[in-house]
């Protein structure tokens, strides 16, 4: 996948629009669609190296690790929640409204597709908006847990500028004295409703994604390097059905050899251009 000149890019986008015209398009989006909203990608240019990601095994077994996670997660979430949808998110919502897009399957947990106006969104890796109790199953709004954190830890401050990771995490300077939030129903352990490293995508979510794909007759991958197996599995299903596959990503992906068109450019530029040509 090489960078194209403006003329070549325009021609490729026009060819893509013709390939998609009259079809119902399923979207698979990754962290790259949110970089223009100020949320960095996991991989590729501009990404931050995460040499020690939180695994579910460590989260469950190590109280110090949970404390570090909640301090960093709280500070990051405050800035993460201020991010706004960008033109890529907005164009997908508009194409869904006009009937071109059947829905969005996203690997992101930022909620920006919903805030942009997309209504059929499957968040396969969960969402930062909710927090779950692992003991009784109670579901909490993240804002309520944030209020509990600040009430129990009045010393905590939220910086105006923090270095965000794609999951809304930052590296805190210290976790000393931090009191971890607990379930207000049973006192159990809380966990954000996101898929941690070492966890599987819930089966019902993946089946919903498969159903959306079956109801579509074209697929666009936007801003995903397709390193995560759940994304590759969905692309494989599109390939088996021989429906058009478009990949928009600044970096090469694992599925480029299967794609009908690959576009090495930003989603905030390409998706609105496709929308304009289709509509």
């Amino acid at each position: 996948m090489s960078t194209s000149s403006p003329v070549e890019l325009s021609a490729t986008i026009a060819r893509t629009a013709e390939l998609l015209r009259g079809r119902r398009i399923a979207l698979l989006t990754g962290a790259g669609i949110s970089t223009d909203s100020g949320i960095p990608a996991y991989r590729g240019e501009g990404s931050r190296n995460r040499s020690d990601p939180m695994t579910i095994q460590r989260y469950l077994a190590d109280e110090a690790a949970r404390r570090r996670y909640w301090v960093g997660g709280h500070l990051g979430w405050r800035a993460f929640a201020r991010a706004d949808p960008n033109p890529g998110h907005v164009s997908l919502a508009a194409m869904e409204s006009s009937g071109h897009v059947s829905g969005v399957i996203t690997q992101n947990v930022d909620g920006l597709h919903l805030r942009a106006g997309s209504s059929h969104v499957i968040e396969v890796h969960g969402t930062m908006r909710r927090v779950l109790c692992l003991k009784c199953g109670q579901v909490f709004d993240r804002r309520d847990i944030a209020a509990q954190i600040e009430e129990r830890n009045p010393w905590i401050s939220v910086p105006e500028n923090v270095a965000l990771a794609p999951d809304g995490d930052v590296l805190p300077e210290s976790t000393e004295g931090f009191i971890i939030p607990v379930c207000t129903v049973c006192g159990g352990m809380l966990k954000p409703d996101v898929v941690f490293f070492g966890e599987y995508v819930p089966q019902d979510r993946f089946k919903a994604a498969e159903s959306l794909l079956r109801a579509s007759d074209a697929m666009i991958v936007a801003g995903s390097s397709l390193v995560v197996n759940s994304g590759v599995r969905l692309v494989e299903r599109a390939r088996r059905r021989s429906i058009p596959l478009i990949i928009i990503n600044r970096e090469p992906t694992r599925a480029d050899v299967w794609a009908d068109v690959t576009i090495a450019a930003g989603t905030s530029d390409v998706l609105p251009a496709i929308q304009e040509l289709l509509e």
Side-chain angles (χ1 to χ4, degrees):
M1 184 182 286
S2 59
T3 303
S4 303
S5 69
V7 173
E8 291 172 329
L9 178 59
S10 179
T12 301
I13 291 173
R15 180 161 60 93
T16 299
E18 283 303 311
L19 187 61
L20 296 174
R21 196 174 305 281
R23 298 178 184 271
R24 293 272 287 169
I25 308 163
L27 267 293
L28 172 65
T29 67
I33 199 172
S34 294
T35 54
D36 287 343
S37 295
I39 301 174
Y42 283 109
R43 303 170 182 88
E45 184 179 353
S47 62
R48 288 203 297 143
N49 181 30
R50 290 173 62 80
S51 59
D52 188 27
M54 179 63 69
T55 65
I56 186 61
Q57 294 83 5
R58 185 179 174 197
Y59 183 86
L60 295 175
D62 186 345
E63 182 176 350
R66 288 196 300 278
R67 185 180 300 112
R68 193 224 69 87
Y69 176 87
W70 278 106
V71 174
H74 178 71
L75 294 174
W77 176 77
R78 283 299 192 193
F80 192 78
R82 290 197 295 267
D84 293 319
N86 62 54
H89 299 108
V90 173
S91 66
L92 292 186
M95 284 193 281
E96 180 185 340
S97 180
S98 61
H100 296 292
V101 165
S102 54
V104 177
I105 305 160
T106 186
Q107 298 169 318
N108 300 338
V109 298
D110 54 36
L112 291 177
H113 284 297
L114 290 169
R115 287 173 56 194
S118 291
S119 58
H120 193 181
V121 179
I122 300 168
E123 298 170 308
V124 289
H125 291 165
T127 175
M128 291 291 286
R129 298 187 307 277
R130 294 188 299 268
V131 176
L132 311 176
C133 176
L134 299 180
K135 183 177 180 181
C136 72
Q138 180 69 37
V139 179
F140 297 92
D141 188 299
R142 180 64 182 253
R143 292 170 294 186
D144 294 331
I145 301 305
Q148 182 190 152
I149 288 173
E150 293 175 2
E151 181 181 356
R152 303 182 78 185
N153 303 276
W155 53 268
I156 199 166
S157 62
V158 181
E160 289 297 322
N161 297 297
V162 295
L164 285 176
D167 52 7
D169 189 25
V170 298
L171 182 63
E173 293 184 2
S174 174
T175 63
E176 185 177 353
F178 180 78
I179 301 173
I180 300 173
V182 296
C183 176
T184 54
V185 175
C186 72
M189 184 188 299
L190 296 178
K191 172 185 172 293
D193 186 16
V194 299
V195 176
F196 279 32
F197 287 88
E199 282 190 290
Y200 292 105
V201 171
Q203 191 174 37
D204 59 339
R205 289 185 203 162
F206 192 78
K207 286 183 176 180
E210 289 181 308
S211 178
L212 189 156
L213 188 56
R214 283 195 299 269
S216 308
D217 46 18
M219 183 179 194
I220 294 177
V221 177
S224 174
S225 58
L226 295 174
V227 171
V228 179
N229 285 334
S230 57
V232 175
R233 288 166 62 194
L234 291 168
V235 172
E236 285 180 334
R237 281 151 176 75
R239 181 177 68 92
R240 290 172 188 169
R241 290 180 53 210
S242 298
I243 63 175
L245 173 63
I246 314 299
I247 297 180
I248 307 165
N249 199 57
R250 293 188 184 276
E251 308 290 332
T253 81
R254 292 172 62 183
D256 286 355
V257 294
W258 299 337
D260 295 277
V261 181
T262 60
I263 304 177
T267 56
S268 292
D269 298 321
V270 175
L271 291 172
I274 292 174
Q275 177 201 351
E276 183 178 359
L277 290 173
L278 289 179
E279 298 184 358

